[in-house]
Amino acid sequence: MSAADVLETWQAELTQGRRRSPHTVRAYLAAASRLLASQNAADWARLARIDAPALRLHMARRRAEGIGNVSAARELSALKAFLAFARSKAGIADAAPPRLRGPRVKKGLPRPVTPDDAVNVADLVQANAAEDWIGARDRAVLLLMYGAGMRIAEALSLTAADLPLGERITITGKGGKQRVVPLIPVVRAAVEDYTRQCPWPLAGQTPLFRGAKGGQLSPGMVQKAMAQARAVLGLPASATPHALRHSFATHLLGAGADLRSLQELLGHASLGSTQIYTKVDAATLLDTYRNAHPREQD
């Protein structure tokens, strides 16, 4: 067995068995590849013998290369999952990975934008686009994130089969977990405006949001467009596409949404992930969101 065989099996487990996102699969494969190289281990039996001291030494080398606490914590988590899988493939009854505590990572508070800034960014992205249909496309993606709380990967995973959009849509999020998300009129109108202008055929399971050459739109293109608009509007660097999802959650919570409902809307596996929004300053919430989602009134 070669290292390529090991990685191919691990990739199949991540994509098919665990249904991880493409981003997670890339990160987990990269971490596993580095471990295989440093340990000169290219079969399940040798991987299964990697213990805590060996893993600690590997992570120390990674830290010496300059990775920070957040990256180190993520990589350690990826390697623990990989080694647990290796132990199971080696036929070891106890498939638990080596016990090694990662660095403490202080979880920062979400940094939402105001409702006006969220819509202004989407409108400016549309106005600045090289072509009208591209502007309509990017505006629709950003409003899906702000108006429906979607992750960018979730918005870009929509297909033509999801059309026409109704008052709600079923989204498949992290770990294959499905949730039903309501779509307010302004969001549906933005998507309809894009579909009317899109020069590419939209049918069946083809991607809903298309790149300039007709392929699936990449997250980087949306992020680039928002970065340009952010600079023009004088917004902080934290005003990324994902900040629109934070804004959706923060504004709804400030308007009286209960945590359990918000958890379902966001697709969080645990309530703890949703509770972080309660820590955002209440005065800011009151100032930025005085009613239920204001864009529903547009």
Side-chain angles (χ1 to χ4, degrees), residues 178-265:
Q178 291 190 321
R179 68 186 191 277
V180 176
V181 177
L183 297 176
I184 59 178
V186 68
V187 174
R188 299 201 302 273
V191 175
E192 290 167 2
D193 182 43
Y194 157 67
T195 58
R196 282 194 300 269
Q197 298 186 51
C198 181
W200 304 101
L202 298 174
Q205 294 300 320
T206 58
L208 173 58
F209 293 108
R210 315 295 277 276
K213 296 183 179 180
Q216 184 171 23
L217 177 62
S218 71
M221 297 306 296
V222 181
Q223 292 162 348
K224 180 180 179 180
M226 183 161 178
Q228 292 171 341
R230 178 179 70 219
V232 172
L233 294 173
L235 298 178
S238 59
T240 62
H242 195 70
L244 297 178
R245 176 172 151 90
H246 286 321
S247 302
F248 165 85
T250 305
H251 298 164
L252 287 185
L253 187 62
D258 65 271
L259 278 176
R260 286 292 181 188
S261 297
L262 192 57
Q263 179 189 0
E264 290 298 319
L265 289 173

Side-chain angles (χ1 to χ4, degrees), residues 271-288:
L271 189 61
S273 298
T274 313
Q275 286 175 327
I276 190 171
Y277 293 105
T278 65
K279 299 179 182 179
V280 180
D281 184 69
T284 302
L285 293 179
L286 184 62
D287 182 54
T288 60

Side-chain angles (χ1 to χ4, degrees), residues 8-26:
E8 184 178 354
T9 304
W10 180 224
Q11 181 177 18
E13 167 66 15
L14 290 169
T15 55
Q16 301 169 20
R18 308 190 186 191
R19 301 181 67 179
R20 299 300 192 215
S21 70
H23 176 76
T24 299
V25 171
R26 286 194 298 272

Side-chain angles (χ1 to χ4, degrees), residues 29-274:
L29 285 175
S33 179
R34 286 189 288 267
L35 183 68
L36 287 168
S38 71
Q39 300 297 312
N40 193 26
D43 62 67
W44 302 118
R46 278 186 285 177
L47 285 168
R49 289 195 292 270
I50 294 177
D51 56 12
L55 185 56
R56 183 178 296 109
L57 178 60
H58 173 75
M59 291 306 303
R61 289 169 178 160
R62 290 288 292 139
R63 294 302 295 268
E65 293 172 3
I67 65 171
N69 282 359
V70 173
S71 295
R74 289 174 178 167
E75 181 148 343
L76 180 58
S77 177
L79 292 178
K80 283 183 175 181
F82 176 55
L83 292 177
F85 180 68
R87 290 174 69 87
S88 68
K89 294 292 287 184
I92 297 175
D94 179 12
R99 298 185 63 181
L100 183 64
R101 180 177 295 179
R104 291 187 177 183
V105 178
K106 184 178 180 181
K107 197 167 186 179
L109 291 177
R111 300 181 67 181
V113 299
T114 69
D116 284 342
D117 283 339
V119 177
N120 288 341
V121 162
D123 289 345
L124 187 57
V125 162
Q126 181 175 25
N128 286 346
E131 298 184 50
D132 289 345
W133 77 271
I134 290 177
R137 176 200 69 190
D138 292 348
R139 181 174 184 270
V141 173
L142 295 177
L143 288 184
L144 278 168
M145 299 187 70
Y146 178 57
M150 291 187 191
R151 300 176 177 93
I152 191 168
E154 293 170 348
L156 299 187
S157 70
L158 296 178
T159 69
D162 293 306
L163 299 173
L165 297 182
E167 293 184 354
R168 57 186 58 84
I169 188 172
T170 300
I171 297 297
T172 301
K174 289 185 176 181
K177 182 180 179 182
Q178 291 190 321
R179 68 186 191 277
V180 176
V181 177
L183 297 176
I184 59 178
V186 68
V187 174
R188 299 201 302 273
V191 175
E192 290 167 2
D193 182 43
Y194 157 67
T195 58
R196 282 194 300 269
Q197 298 186 51
C198 181
W200 304 101
L202 298 174
Q205 294 300 320
T206 58
L208 173 58
F209 293 108
R210 315 295 277 276
K213 296 183 179 180
Q216 184 171 23
L217 177 62
S218 71
M221 297 306 296
V222 181
Q223 292 162 348
K224 180 180 179 180
M226 183 161 178
Q228 292 171 341
R230 178 179 70 219
V232 172
L233 294 173
L235 298 178
S238 59
T240 62
H242 195 70
L244 297 178
R245 176 172 151 90
H246 286 321
S247 302
F248 165 85
T250 305
H251 298 164
L252 287 185
L253 187 62
D258 65 271
L259 278 176
R260 286 292 181 188
S261 297
L262 192 57
Q263 179 189 0
E264 290 298 319
L265 289 173
L266 292 170
H268 285 161
S270 69
L271 189 61
S273 298
T274 313

